[in-house]
Amino acid sequence: MSRPELEALQLERLNGLLGRVYEHVPLYKNRFDEAGLAPHVNALEDLAAFPFTVKNDMRAAYPYGMFAVPLRDIVRVHSSSGTTGQVTVVGYTRADLEMWSDLMARTLVCAGATPDDVVQVAYGYGLFTGGLGAHYGSERLGCVTIPISGGNTRRQVQVMKDYGTTILACTPSYATLIGETALEMGIDPRELPLKAGIFGAEPWSNSMRDQIEELLGIKAIDIYGLSEVMGPGVASECQCQCGLHVNEDHFLVEILDPETLTPVPDGTKGEVVFTTLTKQGIPLVRYRTRDLSRILTGECACGRTFRRLERFTGRTDDMLIIHGVNVFPSQIEQVLMGILGGGRLYQVVLTKRGAMDHVEVHVEVGPEVPFDEVRVLEALRARVAAEIASALAVNMSVKLVEPKSIQRFEGKAQRVVDKRGEGE
């Protein structure tokens, strides 16, 4: 579609959405009425006058208070993990599942998949949206679909080898663990039939991408979604790996200044806000994701015309303030990945020293580092600390730990461990 055609479609769908939520979701009717807003806009830019939706709105409406259709029309529910509070529940009509399957099929095609491929879905199945989202997209495309879910990593490797898996779907941290496990089993992952992976559900750096591609001998494609908006399939890189194409016929994207919540120009980083244009079960108007990115200008060499988001660097709510400096875990990861001998696995551990917060970065070193040579270890530790200080403009304590001592995760990796409340 040309840009004018796409924006005309978005406007039509946006007005349909505003009318539906006004009529069927009490939260939106009340807020629109309080703001003196009719459920209709004349231009896409008019959406900026409408109130935001935030995660706490969904928590307060638990479980079904924001559904826009009767429960008899809902055929599936998913929910968030609830690790930071009350879970959020999302419902899907049959049409929602059809649309989701189509968008995940698009995602796989972006990664180079065809109906001739074998897709191993190692995202978790269940209330988490990742597993079933990738599963239905793979089936929609016509691929052989292996619903293996997460866990039992040695079996994952054996299935890859025996079943001829060509596309891997999981978190990037789990892809790393699968590759390491293959080597432990005496299997070179680069000799497996794998050609690509669709990895999401957690931020990951370009350096981590390079390591995964080198380890597995594949093209590592970044995908994006969140359960409140749909699940995976909201946006995806193509094989050019130069930004994530937003499925703009279904999701209207805004980038806002996190402080003023006003729009920023294309190319400027800000908070990503989505409006779901076609969802029936739980449509959302201006949902604040807390994720940070920017619109990339220019056209992609792949020929797709949807706008692209830069790979996500973090979230406004995972930002650490260390000695007055804003730091994201992904920035620490980027530094560590570039240091020879520095392990790609790390954790940021927060503790208390008296009344002050203390930050220590635990870095897992590779087996090539002699752990019994104190002088070598200290030189490496000092180098890591110095490069973090140089890159992030803040000093942090660094502790080098032995190989395999940081817990491996089959789902989302836990990069920040907050121990500040322990012992209180």
Side-chain angles (χ1 to χ4, degrees):
M1 273 188 176
S2 68
R3 197 77 213 167
E5 288 175 314
L6 175 61
E7 291 179 355
L9 177 64
Q10 288 179 319
L11 182 60
E12 176 187 343
R13 290 181 168 178
L14 176 59
N15 278 315
L17 163 76
L18 294 175
R20 288 199 309 277
V21 299
Y22 185 80
E23 184 176 352
H24 297 295
V25 184
L27 172 79
Y28 287 122
K29 184 180 190 307
N30 294 337
R31 289 192 175 169
F32 291 4
D33 287 346
E34 288 170 3
L37 295 167
H40 184 275
V41 293
N42 295 316
L44 294 175
E45 293 75 19
D46 297 341
L47 183 62
F50 282 75
F52 296 105
T53 310
V54 296
K55 182 168 281 194
N56 280 340
D57 293 328
M58 302 183 71
R59 289 172 174 157
Y62 176 88
Y64 303 138
M66 289 191 69
F67 284 18
V69 298
L71 204 56
R72 66 176 178 270
D73 293 334
I74 296 292
V75 297
R76 191 195 300 169
V77 293
H78 284 283
S79 71
S80 64
S81 62
T83 53
T84 57
Q86 176 68 59
V87 298
T88 58
V89 177
V90 290
Y92 301 78
T93 66
R94 195 165 300 281
D96 288 336
L97 292 183
E98 291 293 319
M99 178 264 288
W100 191 11
S101 299
D102 286 343
L103 295 185
M104 280 306 296
R106 282 187 192 176
T107 296
L108 284 161
V109 170
C110 277
T114 74
D116 295 322
D117 279 299
V118 179
V119 178
Q120 185 160 327
V121 182
Y123 285 110
Y125 281 64
L127 290 176
F128 173 61
T129 56
L132 284 170
H135 179 111
Y136 276 79
S138 175
E139 289 189 343
R140 173 59 53 87
L141 184 56
C143 303
V144 174
T145 306
I146 305 173
I148 195 168
S149 191
N152 200 343
T153 308
R154 295 178 73 86
R155 182 166 178 262
Q156 297 269 2
V157 175
Q158 197 64 51
V159 165
M160 274 184 190
K161 183 172 183 285
D162 295 345
Y163 295 10
T165 301
T166 57
I167 307 286
L168 175 62
C170 64
T171 63
S173 52
Y174 194 40
T176 302
L177 177 56
I178 288 173
E180 292 175 344
T181 303
L183 293 173
E184 291 172 0
M185 294 170 63
I187 296 172
D188 183 352
R190 298 180 61 87
E191 295 181 358
L192 296 172
L194 276 178
K195 67 179 187 181
I198 55 169
F199 305 129
E202 63 188 23
W204 50 303
S205 66
N206 287 324
S207 296
M208 186 172 187
R209 187 217 295 276
D210 293 342
Q211 291 210 359
I212 290 173
E213 292 189 334
E214 174 65 24
L215 178 63
L216 298 179
I218 64 172
K219 183 156 288 214
I221 301 297
D222 194 2
I223 69 172
Y224 174 78
L226 60 168
S227 60
E228 294 83 2
V229 173
M230 184 183 71
V234 175
S236 174
E237 285 185 320
C238 63
Q239 290 182 294
C240 297
Q241 296 175 308
C242 55
L244 295 97
H245 296 272
V246 179
N247 286 308
E248 291 188 274
D249 49 342
H250 294 280
F251 307 102
L252 191 63
V253 61
E254 302 173 78
I255 308 292
L256 306 181
D257 183 303
E259 300 295 329
T260 65
L261 298 180
T262 55
V264 300
D266 287 356
T268 301
K269 186 168 290 186
E271 181 178 342
V272 181
V273 173
F274 282 112
T275 296
T276 63
L277 296 175
T278 56
K279 277 183 67 178
Q280 296 178 350
I282 184 166
L284 297 177
V285 177
R286 305 195 79 200
Y287 182 74
R288 292 184 59 187
T289 67
R290 307 289 181 176
D291 291 322
L292 296 171
S293 184
R294 64 189 178 100
I295 296 291
L296 297 175
T297 57
E299 296 181 358
C300 184
C302 75
R304 291 175 176 85
T305 56
F306 289 151
R307 291 193 297 173
R308 293 168 295 136
L309 289 171
E310 184 179 51
R311 297 188 70 213
F312 291 83
T313 55
R315 296 170 52 83
T316 58
D317 51 5
D318 74 5
M319 182 180 72
L320 305 172
I321 302 178
I322 302 174
H323 306 310
V325 177
N326 297 342
V327 174
F328 292 95
S330 57
Q331 293 175 295
I332 299 173
E333 177 182 299
Q334 191 71 32
V335 173
L336 297 179
M337 291 290 186
I339 299 175
L340 182 63
R344 58 177 169 268
L345 293 187
Y346 71 98
Q347 284 186 326
V348 182
V349 181
L350 307 178
T351 57
K352 281 281 190 183
R353 287 192 175 177
M356 300 292 291
D357 289 342
H358 179 70
V359 183
E360 186 171 69
V361 183
H362 292 187
V363 184
E364 187 178 288
V365 298
E368 73 282 356
V369 176
F371 230 80
D372 55 349
E373 295 188 21
V374 176
R375 191 172 297 176
V376 173
L377 280 179
E378 177 54 28
L380 179 57
R381 188 206 63 77
R383 181 186 170 195
V384 170
E387 294 205 20
I388 289 176
S390 174
L392 278 61
V394 63
N395 292 314
M396 297 186 201
S397 298
V398 172
K399 179 180 180 180
L400 302 182
V401 299
E402 296 185 54
K404 305 291 185 182
S405 59
I406 291 180
Q407 182 181 354
R408 268 60 175 163
F409 292 87
E410 296 165 356
K412 297 183 181 182
Q414 185 179 3
R415 299 302 190 198
V416 179
V417 179
D418 192 344
K419 297 183 177 181
R420 288 175 293 185
E422 294 184 6
E424 294 180 358

